[in-house]
């Protein structure tokens, strides 16, 4: 009894002597998860962001980067932001349409002709309007980053036309737009989280996958895939997301610093992505891949039906097909 009391008193004394630490001075740690390998552009950009934010807040905000699906798949991480168990993620839009259906707009095949069109739409009225829908599901965008134009790799044969896609078992990201697109091209799509992909390719559970060069290279898919076809069939945006709960707990000054820094890191990341596209085709060839440049016209024609699929148009319109159709037309007009 007596010893117990003494213990309680010792703890009380320690607590009384501990320096006061007012909440406003408390260091903020923001964990930022990604699905890709440490050398990938997402992680380079997230480290860059961490550095400028640390400088500008005199160390008050520390962003810690966790690559390679250590904190879960892209879908798991978005759920983590909603629950408040994770603060940030830099993710593709792959699973995001399951949270905000309007995002499926950006998952449509051959939507954008070039990067200028992508940036114009994403940074402009349409991208801003769609990002404004995120807080109602507990997440917030700090900017559209870039995953990049996606190309197809496989272990079976060179791809020069949609005929060469017939029957290929291809892993896709978890959204029906990707599934419909690959079916329209004659392949057999299998949705799967990115973290499981390397092993699935290695064990021949799937023959093929599609990703931007920066992902193919940093994930060393050339070790398990022989053929690379430069189809550029999807432009894959990335988005830097923060948990709405974490965001609301930051001071207005910290929110301002983070917003500005995130825009700078976005531009940095887009530059890295463009550089990757300039350099990595050669690097992949040197790593042993056989590269083809198919004529895109028959691919574009083969997937036209995806744009006419009622469930897709309805989802893009947030349940309203007319809205969905208008959004698709608006992107078309902005990318001419
Ligand atoms: O966001 O899942 C995918 O294929 C993505 O392109 C990748 O994780 C990068």
């Amino acid at each position: 009894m007596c010893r117990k009391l003494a213990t309680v008193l010792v703890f009380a004394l320690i607590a009384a002597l501990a320096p006061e630490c007012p909440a406003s001075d408390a260091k903020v740690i923001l964990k930022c998860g990604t699905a890709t390998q440490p050398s990938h552009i997402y992680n380079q950009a997230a480290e860059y962001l961490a550095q400028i934010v640390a400088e500008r807040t005199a160390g008050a905000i520390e962003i810690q980067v966790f690559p390679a699906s250590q904190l879960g798949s892209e879908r798991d991480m978005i759920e983590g932001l909603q629950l408040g168990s994770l603060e940030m993620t830099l993710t593709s839009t792959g699973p995001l349409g399951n949270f905000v259906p309007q995002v499926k707009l950006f998952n449509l095949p051959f939507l954008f002709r070039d990067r200028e069109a992508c940036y114009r739409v994403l940074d402009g009225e349409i991208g801003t309007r769609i990002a404004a829908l995120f807080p109602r599901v507990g997440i917030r965008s700090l900017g559209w980053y870039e995953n990049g134009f996606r190309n197809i790799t496989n272990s079976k044969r060179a791809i020069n036309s949609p005929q060469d896609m017939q029957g290929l078992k291809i892993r896709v990201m978890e959204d029906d737009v990707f599934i419909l697109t690959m079916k329209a091209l004659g392949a057999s799509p299998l949705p799967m989280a990115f973290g499981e992909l390397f092993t699935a390719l290695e064990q021949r559970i799937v023959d093929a996958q599609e990703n931007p060069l920066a992902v193919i290279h940093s994930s060393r898919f050339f070790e398990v895939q022989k053929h690379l076809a430069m189809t550029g069939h999807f432009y894959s945006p990335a988005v830097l997301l923060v948990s709405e709960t974490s965001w609301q707990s930051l001071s207005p000054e910290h929110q301002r610093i983070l917003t500005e820094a995130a825009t700078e890191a976005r531009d940095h990341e887009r530059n890295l992505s463009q550089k990757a596209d300039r350099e990595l085709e050669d690097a992949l060839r040197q790593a042993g891949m056989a590269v083809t440049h198919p004529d895109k016209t028959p691919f574009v024609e083969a997937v036209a039906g995806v744009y006419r699929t009622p469930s897709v148009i309805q989802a893009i319109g947030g349940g309203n097909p007319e809205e969905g159709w208008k959004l698709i037309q608006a992107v078309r007009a902005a990318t001419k």
Side-chain angles (χ1 to χ4, degrees), residues 175-318:
D175 188 295
D176 54 350
V177 177
F178 308 126
I179 296 173
L180 288 166
T181 302
M182 286 303 152
K183 281 190 177 157
L185 289 170
S188 304
L190 185 70
M192 188 188 291
F194 183 75
E196 295 160 31
L197 179 53
F198 188 94
T199 308
L201 293 169
E202 194 175 36
Q203 298 181 348
R204 306 265 172 148
I205 293 165
V206 288
D207 309 312
Q209 68 85 42
E210 43 83 55
N211 253 298
L213 297 185
V215 172
I216 295 170
H217 190 261
S218 58
S219 288
R220 304 182 70 82
F221 290 157
F222 51 82
E223 290 179 356
V224 285
Q225 299 272 272
K226 175 72 187 168
H227 303 281
L228 165 63
M230 299 296 290
T231 44
H233 51 284
F234 297 122
Y235 173 74
S236 183
V239 59
L240 179 65
L241 293 174
V242 60
S243 156
E244 183 64 8
T245 318
S246 317
W247 179 256
Q248 294 303 342
S249 71
L250 296 175
S251 69
E253 177 63 1
H254 280 172
Q255 289 180 349
R256 189 187 60 76
I257 292 172
L258 198 55
T259 304
E260 277 177 23
T263 304
E264 287 172 41
R266 175 201 72 193
D267 292 342
H268 178 65
E269 197 260 359
R270 284 179 177 171
N271 286 334
L272 292 173
S273 174
Q274 291 167 23
K275 186 163 174 276
D277 271 349
R278 282 194 302 272
E279 295 174 354
L280 294 182
E281 190 185 324
D282 266 353
L284 290 166
R285 216 179 263 120
Q286 273 160 32
M289 295 193 93
V291 185
T292 56
H293 284 261
D295 173 11
K296 291 187 189 171
T297 317
F299 287 84
V300 175
E301 284 166 2
V303 302
V306 178
Y307 282 79
R308 294 191 296 266
T309 307
S311 60
V312 171
I313 301 172
Q314 181 162 350
I316 290 172

Side-chain angles (χ1 to χ4, degrees), residues 38-96:
S39 65
H40 181 249
I41 56 173
Y42 285 1
N43 302 308
Q44 292 183 45
E47 292 293 357
Y48 176 87
L49 177 71
Q51 193 188 325
I52 58 179
V53 167
E55 279 163 20
R56 293 173 195 178
T57 59
I61 297 185
E62 182 183 339
I63 296 174
Q64 298 175 345
V65 185
F66 293 87
S69 308
Q70 284 174 66
L71 304 183
S73 67
E74 291 190 335
R75 190 186 182 125
D76 295 335
M77 291 190 283
I78 298 168
E79 280 168 4
L81 300 188
Q82 291 185 308
L83 296 168
S85 57
L86 176 64
E87 291 79 33
M88 295 176 93
T89 182
L90 181 49
T91 174
S92 72
T93 55
L96 196 53

Side-chain angles (χ1 to χ4, degrees), residues 315-333:
I316 290 172
N320 178 343
E322 267 167 41
E323 266 308 302
W325 189 243
K326 266 195 229 156
L327 264 174
I328 296 170
Q329 296 312 318
V331 174
R332 286 287 197 216

Side-chain angles (χ1 to χ4, degrees), residues 146-186:
E146 178 162 288
N147 190 11
F149 284 100
R150 302 176 78 91
N151 303 297
I152 300 166
T153 70
N154 83 93
S155 56
K156 294 255 158 148
R157 59 183 99 96
I159 292 174
N160 288 298
S161 74
Q163 280 75 51
D164 300 321
M165 303 276 300
Q166 300 310 305
L168 269 189
K169 271 188 269 156
I170 186 166
R171 174 269 176 178
V172 292
M173 298 191 287
E174 296 159 275
D175 188 295
D176 54 350
V177 177
F178 308 126
I179 296 173
L180 288 166
T181 302
M182 286 303 152
K183 281 190 177 157
L185 289 170

